[in-house]
Structures are given as C-alpha cells and as structure tokens.
Amino acid sequence: GGDPGLERALERSARVGGLLVKREEEELGQVSALADEMIAQEFHAPSSPTPCQAERAACLECYRSHPGDPLRCATQVDAFSRCAQGSYGAVA
C-alpha cells in the first residue's frame, strides 16, 4: 500500500470537500434571507412614505426568483442602493 498518513489526509480532505459543497447550498439560501432582512432593517422610513418602493420590490422579487443565485440580482440591488442613498442623503 501507500503511506497511511497520506491516505488519511486524502480521506479527510474529501470529507471536508463534501461538507463544503453541502454547506454552500445552505449558505446561498441564508444569503438571500439575510439580504431581505438587511433591506427590511436598513430602510425603515420614519413616518413619511418609504422612498424607493419600486426598487426595493424589484430586489425582493429577484431574490425570490433566483434563490440560489443572489448575484443575478446585482443590477436591482445597485439601483435600490443608489435610490436609497439619494433619498436618505436628501433627508439628512
């Protein structure tokens, strides 16, 4: 046979690789949920109508449509971010 230490290291590496792939799928779902949560927390309007409703809705819709691929929503997130910065910059 081969080197028992090397074989153990290879087995451990394969096991870790399998766990990472499984975790990646779980984490993508968590990223989408966290993004929704951040959007909800970050952009609470005091009492006036919330600005950027259309942009926010587009972000949320994109995350729902592509739950495993949040990067596909970069355009919507960018538009929402620019709108929000402009709106909240004007209020401050």
Side-chain angles (χ1 to χ4, degrees):
D3 178 355
L6 179 62
E7 288 178 19
R8 273 196 305 276
L10 287 172
E11 275 180 32
R12 198 172 334 134
S13 177
R15 202 165 51 240
V16 168
L19 288 172
L20 286 174
V21 168
K22 195 159 69 170
R23 285 285 301 155
E24 183 181 14
E25 292 173 2
E26 294 170 8
E27 287 174 4
L28 282 173
Q30 291 172 356
V31 166
S32 293
L34 182 60
D36 287 350
E37 190 178 307
M38 287 172 61
I39 288 169
Q41 287 176 358
E42 186 69 24
F43 300 106
H44 277 290
S47 59
S48 58
T50 305
C52 310
Q53 283 293 315
E55 291 83 354
R56 180 180 184 277
C59 282
L60 295 175
E61 181 59 34
C62 183
Y63 285 132
R64 286 185 193 108
S65 299
H66 307 288
D69 192 6
L71 293 178
R72 289 181 72 169
C73 303
T75 303
Q76 290 86 341
V77 171
D78 185 53
F80 180 47
S81 179
R82 278 185 281 117
C83 175
Q85 286 173 355
S87 297
Y88 289 99
V91 171

